[in-house]
Amino acid sequence: MPRAAIVSAGWYGFKPEVGELSFREMMFEAALRAYSAAGVDPRRDVDAFFSCQEDYWEGIAITDEFAPEPIGGVLRPTSTVAGDFIQCLGQAVMLVRTGYFDLVAVESHAKPSDIATIKGVMDMALDPLYLRPLDPPNPHFIGGLMANAFLARTGLGREALAMVAAKNKNAGLSNPRASHAAPVTLGDVLSAKPVVDPLTGYDIAPFSDAAIVMLVASEEAARRLTDTPVWIEGVGWSTESGTGSLAWHQWDSMPSIRMAVDMAKSMAGLSGRPQTFTSFAELEDRYSFMEILSMEEAGIAGPEEAYSMLEAGDTEPSGNYPVNPSGGSLAAGVALEATGGFRVLEAYERLMAMGEELEPGAERALVVSWRGPPTRTAMAVILGV
């Protein structure tokens, strides 16, 4: 089966508000950087294009009409997917592995600063008969309910969530994309007033404007275009029944993460706990408790072990198994459908920086992301050099 690798990436934004460009101009800037880094002309060298976006977030019906032009896909095979960046990455891998496509562009973007009514958009995703009429006053109420259920099942306390929030806010201080990073202490988080019980403002990732483009290549094209390809060894995604209808949720867990990780591991031919074959992980953390839940569902550690790892500093950027060394979404923000792309971008750059002299399979990373409430869709990628 042909292999697929990420050979270049471009991005723009990762700010609370990108006021100088429209979302289409952000797409163009990110694409220009990705194509320039690989030295390719999209109108000649790229065989197909994918864009992950959602009409509701754009505020435009049939928003896929706007996808081809900014990324060089006019009159070329261009597909849009209503989902996270990682789901588009999976589509690109499938095309490359057919053997008929050498180079595929993957794009996703977000401009939440343009959305006047975030709560209104999120309400439209709720069950229209039983939930939407309740008109919940805070769009994070689902995150709060999930956090309470998770704490009740695991027996963990608020301190565990505060440790995640403080770790990631501080880790982001060295990341130029982490606009929401800050020198935060455990005491700062524990003494803050909850926004939605039990989550404070430190426990909830703010939004960011961002655009990301990556080039996925066949092995032959990857060897031609770069000395440092990052191989997509496994990719998986899963949607649980009950998306949009909260009554069916398992509030204290997220099996879709487990299924997505298992799918990625199966494709990569790997088994066992992720820390036995990866050296770090970029995990879902738009709510602080989600980092611990992601560790559990991915098979890294149960809640108590995850707490012990946090307490011992094992998941710090310099720890034995760094989790979200980038600062995660708590430091860089939630970029809507580009959120998974941010996590892949962080893992890609970290692996690429490890150098071209490593033996194959020497370093790997696990990426896990969630499409966000009220969905129950999760994605996972295993990258390696």
Side-chain angles (χ1 to χ4, degrees), residues 45-321:
D45 303 319
V46 179
D47 300 316
F49 302 78
F50 282 101
S51 177
C52 265
Q53 50 183 286
E54 168 61 60
D55 284 14
Y56 266 125
W57 292 129
E58 307 292 353
I60 303 169
I62 319 179
T63 187
D64 49 356
E65 293 178 86
F66 295 93
E69 189 172 15
I71 57 177
V74 173
L75 299 179
R76 307 296 299 280
T78 303
S79 302
T80 55
V81 176
D84 182 90
F85 178 95
I86 294 175
Q87 292 171 280
C88 274
L89 195 70
Q91 303 298 316
V93 170
M94 286 193 282
L95 281 193
V96 168
R97 293 183 71 160
T98 64
Y100 291 99
F101 296 81
D102 276 329
L103 199 56
V104 180
V106 179
E107 185 275 342
S108 192
H109 59 273
K111 208 156 189 301
S113 67
D114 279 354
I115 303 174
T117 55
I118 287 278
K119 176 184 175 307
V121 174
M122 295 181 75
D123 283 353
M124 291 300 290
L126 297 176
D127 179 293
L129 297 178
Y130 299 106
L131 293 174
R132 202 181 303 161
L134 297 176
D135 191 24
N138 190 320
H140 295 297
F141 80 100
I142 295 173
L145 290 170
M146 290 174 65
N148 274 307
F150 175 74
L151 294 180
R153 174 175 66 83
T154 62
L156 296 179
R158 271 279 305 129
E159 188 178 45
L161 310 190
M163 290 166 71
V164 172
K167 171 179 73 72
N168 292 3
K169 289 284 189 185
N170 283 285
L173 289 172
S174 59
N175 185 347
R177 285 186 285 268
S179 300
H180 302 283
V184 172
T185 67
L186 194 61
D188 290 335
V189 185
L190 290 172
S191 62
K193 185 178 178 181
V195 172
V196 54
D197 184 69
L199 305 173
T200 71
Y202 294 112
D203 295 289
I204 301 172
F207 289 108
S208 282
D209 292 354
I212 302 171
V213 173
M214 290 186 187
L215 282 173
V216 177
S218 65
E219 182 163 6
E220 181 182 347
R223 301 289 186 197
R224 185 176 67 246
L225 293 171
T226 180
D227 295 328
T228 55
V230 174
W231 303 102
I232 305 169
E233 298 191 15
V235 58
W237 58 92
S238 175
T239 297
E240 300 168 37
S241 61
T243 287
S245 180
L246 303 182
W248 296 344
H249 281 189
Q250 294 184 40
W251 289 92
D252 59 0
S253 56
M254 192 169 284
S256 53
I257 290 179
R258 184 167 65 251
M259 290 183 274
V261 172
D262 286 347
M263 183 176 169
K265 285 166 62 178
S266 176
M267 179 177 164
L270 298 167
S271 60
R273 303 174 82 181
Q275 59 267 48
T276 63
F277 56 82
T278 61
S279 52
F280 69 97
E282 289 286 341
L283 303 182
E284 174 59 45
D285 71 327
R286 72 189 61 211
Y287 299 117
S288 56
F289 78 95
M290 282 299 301
E291 180 172 299
I292 304 174
L293 178 57
S294 297
M295 290 176 68
E296 179 185 17
E297 297 288 12
I300 296 170
E304 289 186 8
E305 187 182 357
Y307 179 79
S308 298
M309 291 173 71
L310 278 164
E311 199 171 31
D314 291 340
T315 58
E316 295 279 352
S318 59
N320 294 328
Y321 189 73

Side-chain angles (χ1 to χ4, degrees), residues 369-385:
S369 200
W370 168 36
R371 204 180 169 202
T375 81
R376 302 293 282 186
T377 298
M379 298 71 59
V381 184
I382 297 171
L383 299 175
V385 293

